[in-house]
Amino acid sequence: MTTTAERMRAWTGPAILTYGFRPFFFGASVWAALAMALWLAMLAGRVALPTAFDPVSWHAHEFLFGYLGAVVAGFLLTAVPNWTGRLPITGWRLGGLALLWLAGRLAVAVSADQPAAAAAVDLAFPLVLAAAIGREIVAGRNWRNLIVLAMLAVFALGNGLFHWEAARGDPAAQGFGLRLGLSAGVMMIAVIGGRIVPSFTRNWLVRREPGRLPIPPMQGFDKVALLILLAALLLWVALPLWTGTGALLALSGALHAIRLARWAGHRTVAEPLVTVLHAGYAFLPLGALALAAEILGVGPFGMAAAQHLWMGGAIGLMTLAVMTRATLGHTGQDLHAGAGTVAIYLALVVAVLARAAAGIWPEAGALPYDIAGLAWTCAFGGYALVYGRLLLRLPPAKRI
């Protein structure tokens, strides 16, 4: 039987097409930086894209469904072969998926004249990706991970609703589609992050010294916390301003803060590559608590800034943490965060905190938004620069 390594060695095309994380992590990072630069230029009145979306909706769509869609694809195309024992998608089939994602970005950017056609192009990628992942899970009889396929389907549905709401003239950035897509992203972090954060933390700690280890994932407490988060998110999608939604989000935030505390993150400060996983997950309960406070009328942020604790904090930092670790691990590097990696982590934290500050101190005007945008661009542009050489070329063959 052909192995993954043999398939990679047999491939004579571009190195970036040897594994799913390569084109999608590189594309996601470049797009995250470029889209933010375009957004800042749009705010300043220097750029006007011919898109069917209003500027705020374009910004929200391209981060959530554009950037996150690419990261999810890179992660799943890399992880599913490990889950199922089947060969990964490589070569021109992988290149076709990457081009389909890129076509969606271009179609949305110039969608003013043909919004329906642009929506069809944009939605083709998550649907094809879901079909490919679903085939692998079913063929590998990996029924445990059907939940991941379900979350991917909900994510694609949110994208479709976003396009539909925008076509109706509704403010899609505050609509059902965005809340549904964001909820799917938050649940992915809760489910997948709930597996990898304690697992990677345990692996690192046992190699260092005896002491407290993370409680293994998916215990009874974890399942209750996940179910309550799911219920809170469903309520938030349907009734975002209801007092009951705020109460359930507050309970969910508290439970996931306790869940995070069970993973011994305080013992990992010597290795930022592990610590950042805990920091990224921490924004999940922080976002839930901030949104709860806004719904209940006691929050200092404003609804948009509170929501960005999920979008920029939980999704942004957790995906950056996964991208850096996966790139190092799958290219044969030491699992250690160097100075450049620490710098991009810190830049993203600055971006999230600056965006939160914009909600607390509106009298500061555009300054915190500019700081947040610049720091965000530095974080993801920095990833592309620091990790691009690992993504765009294969490591040298080892001598025997």
Side-chain angles (χ1 to χ4, degrees):
M1 179 183 293
T2 303
T3 67
T4 299
E6 289 170 341
R7 175 176 285 194
M8 291 172 62
R9 285 195 296 269
W11 171 247
T12 58
I16 197 171
L17 300 182
T18 55
Y19 226 126
F21 72 92
R22 292 178 180 272
F24 283 108
F25 287 179
F26 186 73
S29 63
V30 171
W31 183 239
L34 178 59
M36 181 58 75
L38 285 171
W39 168 239
L40 293 176
M42 291 165 73
L43 287 179
R46 296 172 185 157
V47 172
L49 291 178
T51 176
F53 295 158
D54 65 83
V56 174
S57 293
W58 178 85
H59 168 65
H61 181 274
E62 288 308 295
F63 167 64
L64 181 60
F65 298 109
Y67 164 77
L68 181 58
V71 177
V72 168
F75 174 81
L76 290 179
L77 290 170
T78 304
V80 166
N82 294 329
W83 297 346
T84 63
R86 291 171 55 82
L87 290 173
I89 296 174
T90 61
W92 297 122
R93 287 195 301 158
L94 177 59
L97 275 173
L99 287 175
L100 196 57
W101 171 80
L102 181 59
R105 312 286 57 76
L106 296 175
V108 170
V110 297
S111 57
D113 292 333
Q114 297 291 335
V121 173
D122 186 39
L123 290 170
F125 169 69
L127 295 177
V128 172
L129 176 65
I133 296 300
R135 181 195 63 188
E136 295 303 304
I137 288 176
V138 171
R141 297 182 174 273
N142 184 241
W143 312 121
R144 171 173 175 258
N145 284 304
L146 280 175
I147 186 174
V148 176
L149 183 62
M151 291 186 290
L152 182 59
V154 172
F155 184 71
L157 176 60
N159 192 3
L161 286 174
F162 193 103
H163 280 281
W164 178 70
E165 289 172 320
R168 284 164 44 99
D170 297 336
Q174 291 86 43
F176 285 97
L178 181 127
R179 292 197 299 276
L180 188 63
L182 178 54
S183 295
V186 169
M187 280 304 301
M188 288 181 193
I189 291 171
V191 173
I192 299 173
R195 297 177 187 173
I196 66 174
V197 176
S199 175
F200 291 161
T201 301
R202 174 179 288 271
N203 292 344
W204 185 78
L205 286 175
V206 296
R207 291 195 299 267
R208 288 180 58 84
E209 59 187 42
R212 181 192 163 198
L213 295 176
I215 293 176
M218 298 312 295
Q219 304 294 309
F221 178 85
D222 300 88
K223 295 175 182 178
V224 170
L226 288 172
L227 287 174
I228 291 177
L229 175 63
L230 176 61
L233 290 170
L234 290 174
L235 275 180
W236 182 63
V237 170
L239 301 168
L241 301 179
W242 183 44
T243 301
T245 301
L248 200 56
L249 279 170
L251 174 61
S252 180
L255 290 176
H256 281 269
I258 296 171
R259 188 186 191 206
L260 177 62
R262 289 154 54 95
W263 294 339
H266 66 284
R267 299 192 62 219
T268 68
V269 292
E271 180 47 73
L273 197 70
V274 181
T275 306
V276 72
L277 293 166
H278 294 261
Y281 196 94
F283 279 107
L284 191 156
L286 285 174
L289 293 170
L291 279 171
E294 296 302 326
I295 294 169
L296 299 174
V298 296
F301 297 104
M303 199 68 73
Q307 188 171 292
H308 273 76
L309 291 174
W310 270 349
M311 295 187 73
I315 291 176
L317 190 56
M318 182 61 82
T319 53
L320 188 61
V322 169
M323 287 161 63
T324 52
R325 184 184 182 92
T327 302
L328 291 173
H330 286 282
T331 57
Q333 311 300 308
D334 291 336
L335 289 177
H336 171 69
T341 301
V342 173
I344 64 177
Y345 293 160
L346 292 176
L348 190 53
V349 172
V350 168
V352 177
L353 295 180
R355 181 59 185 88
I360 298 174
W361 294 298
E363 61 272 15
L367 179 61
Y369 294 97
D370 291 340
I371 293 173
L374 179 60
W376 177 277
T377 304
C378 288
F380 287 98
Y383 172 86
L385 289 174
V386 173
Y387 286 84
R389 63 181 181 84
L390 299 176
L391 297 169
L392 298 176
R393 64 178 177 84
L394 293 174
K398 294 182 179 180
R399 293 183 179 181
I400 300 177

